[in-house]
Amino acid sequence: MNKKDYYEVLGVSKTASDEEIKRAFRVLAKKYHPDVNKEPDAEAKFKEIGEAYAILSDPDKRQKYDQFGHAAFDGTGGGAGFSGFDASDIDLSSIFDEIFGDSFHFGFGGRNARNRSMKGKDRLVRLDLSFEEAVFGCKKTINIELNENCDKCSGKGGFGEKKCSECNGTGRIIQEQASMFGMFQTQTTCRDCGGSGVIFEKKCSDCRGTGQKRVNKEIVVTIPEGVDTGYQLRISGKGEAGKNGGPNGDIYIEFNVKDHAFFKRDEEDVYLEVPLTIAEAALGCKKEIPTLSNNVVLDIKAGASTGDKLKLKGKGIKITNSLRKGDLYVIINVITPTKLNRKQKKLLEELASTGLDDEVEFKNFKKYL
């Protein structure tokens, strides 16, 4: 029977580097492994890929294959005194460990994933907060549905635990396969125990044999001062239950902070627009304004204009996990009245006739008229 060219099997050229050969093997092995690919010819294809890599990844074997082809290994080529190659000791599991490490076992003697301790899944909860709740911190109760270890069976899934007779407690079925190199072993997950190595005389009715059940939980969350939209708070160990003794996952609370009617936020700084009448802006005034903590009286000097900015240091938002606070910026907005009674209109007309446009800005503007 003619064998396919090893370079064609891996889809590489005859000048391919060692790294290119390894990369091609990695892709094809994942694609055609019988535990993943259920097509009828997957197992044969997988063996062919393994043989090709075993030869081409070894410099000495590759050199002889390039020189004599498959005849170099079946005893018929005899080139340069090479009298055949006995590859019965090739261990594909070691090849897979070398290439994939712990992340790719598929029953090749690696750790049993079913029995490994695994951390539970993390959960993300999105929570709306008012402006004040975010600024000052608060306590919130969240309702969340989680997987917890079944208390009836202690997370095992059943009662009367005993060793699986099909796999003898290993969780894996070992099969010997023949190749051109001789016999080698492959391992697949035991179907009877699902890879756990144990079976139960009676399945747990509470969790239906899964070892976990869905529960609704209420969790009180302490929200620190100063959180903002997009900020995430981690609650350690309150997420999904772990498996096989693994730790629970975490819960992450992500906040969405609602806008305030007057205060505008920019990280830890706060902006407040304060309206002034024309008279207050022109003459100056003392203006009572709100801050995040209390009301204060602001001394506004005569001649204030729209857009003027006054800074109140330390009157902003507390920086999360810090003792520092941001600042409060007061933005002046001079309001022009749109409805005047007769007295107001007469007073403004008299005021206009007193030479208000003698200011430098007005004179400069008139030069362009």
Side-chain angles (χ1 to χ4, degrees):
M1 178 179 176
N2 293 328
K3 296 185 70 66
K4 190 173 180 180
D5 181 87
Y6 285 145
Y7 290 103
E8 291 182 18
V9 170
L10 296 182
V12 297
S13 69
K14 291 188 177 182
T15 60
S17 66
D18 292 342
E19 185 57 37
E20 289 173 325
I21 290 172
K22 181 182 290 188
R23 186 162 54 245
F25 171 71
R26 185 194 300 269
V27 173
L28 293 171
K30 284 185 176 181
K31 180 179 179 181
Y32 289 103
H33 194 286
D35 282 357
V36 176
N37 192 321
K38 300 305 180 183
E39 294 179 5
D41 63 341
E43 186 173 350
K45 182 70 175 176
F46 179 75
K47 293 175 185 177
E48 189 177 49
I49 293 165
E51 292 178 5
Y53 180 74
I55 297 300
L56 300 184
S57 63
D58 184 298
D60 183 58
K61 297 185 185 70
R62 182 179 180 181
Q63 186 271 325
K64 289 180 172 60
Y65 176 74
D66 287 344
Q67 186 174 1
F68 301 107
H70 291 291
F73 307 106
D74 61 14
T76 62
F82 189 66
S83 57
F85 171 63
D86 180 8
S88 61
D89 60 344
I90 284 184
D91 182 5
L92 285 185
S93 66
S94 66
I95 293 177
F96 272 72
D97 285 341
E98 174 192 350
I99 300 298
F100 299 101
D102 287 340
S103 63
F104 189 78
H105 289 287
F106 290 107
F108 274 93
R111 293 175 297 171
N112 190 334
R114 183 69 177 263
N115 288 330
R116 273 201 302 265
S117 293
M118 295 177 63
K119 180 183 176 182
K121 292 181 179 179
D122 296 334
R123 293 290 301 277
L124 175 65
V125 177
R126 292 183 171 87
L127 186 63
D128 289 335
L129 297 177
S130 69
F131 185 87
E132 290 83 357
E133 287 173 331
V135 169
F136 300 113
C138 62
K139 288 185 182 293
K140 285 281 191 179
T141 299
I142 62 171
N143 292 285
I144 187 170
E145 195 175 64
L146 295 168
N147 282 330
E148 281 199 341
N149 287 326
C150 178
D151 50 7
K152 185 175 181 179
C153 64
S154 300
K156 292 184 176 181
F159 308 96
E161 179 180 318
K162 59 183 180 181
K163 184 166 65 176
C164 177
S165 58
E166 183 67 21
C167 64
N168 199 31
T170 64
R172 301 180 298 275
I173 301 297
I174 300 174
Q175 295 177 318
E176 288 194 342
Q177 304 285 345
S179 74
M180 65 173 287
F181 303 121
M183 301 298 293
F184 67 92
Q185 292 182 341
T186 61
Q187 300 182 32
T188 55
T189 301
C190 177
R191 293 183 179 180
D192 283 15
C193 65
S196 66
V198 298
I199 56 175
F200 298 97
E201 294 178 356
K202 181 182 178 182
K203 184 186 292 185
C204 178
S205 58
D206 277 21
C207 64
R208 299 181 180 180
T210 64
Q212 295 187 344
K213 55 185 180 180
R214 208 71 172 164
V215 296
N216 287 305
K217 298 196 71 174
E218 284 190 350
I219 299 175
V220 178
V221 181
T222 300
I223 299 168
E225 297 178 57
V227 300
D228 200 358
T229 295
Y231 181 93
Q232 286 191 350
L233 178 67
R234 177 187 174 211
I235 307 175
S236 180
K238 295 295 185 179
E240 303 277 6
K243 295 183 179 180
N244 300 319
N248 290 354
D250 303 323
I251 294 177
Y252 289 87
I253 311 293
E254 183 173 289
F255 301 108
N256 176 54
V257 181
K258 298 177 182 178
D259 292 335
H260 191 274
F262 300 108
F263 295 113
K264 305 298 180 185
R265 180 173 181 174
D266 182 12
E267 297 183 348
E268 67 270 16
D269 294 330
V270 177
Y271 290 79
L272 174 66
E273 187 176 280
V274 175
L276 296 182
T277 65
I278 294 176
E280 287 175 328
L283 301 174
C285 64
K286 292 187 180 297
K287 192 78 169 180
E288 185 176 13
I289 67 166
T291 70
L292 296 179
S293 55
N294 61 316
N295 288 355
V296 299
V297 176
L298 196 62
D299 187 10
I300 299 176
K301 297 186 181 302
S305 301
T306 293
D308 285 354
K309 183 189 295 185
L310 304 175
K311 175 180 175 181
L312 299 182
K313 189 172 179 59
K315 289 292 186 178
I317 298 171
K318 183 178 180 293
I319 300 171
T320 305
N321 301 321
S322 170
L323 297 177
R324 295 192 303 111
K325 286 187 175 183
D327 302 319
L328 172 63
Y329 291 92
V330 175
I331 309 300
I332 299 298
N333 183 21
V334 181
I335 304 298
T336 302
T338 57
K339 294 182 180 180
L340 298 172
N341 58 37
R342 289 181 180 180
K343 183 178 179 180
Q344 291 168 336
K345 186 175 181 180
K346 183 177 179 181
L347 288 172
L348 286 175
E349 288 173 345
E350 291 176 357
L351 181 63
S353 66
T354 62
L356 286 176
D357 58 355
D358 287 340
E359 292 284 344
V360 174
E361 289 80 0
F362 287 103
K363 291 180 178 180
N364 288 337
F365 178 73
K366 289 179 179 179
K367 292 179 181 179
Y368 292 95
L369 299 179

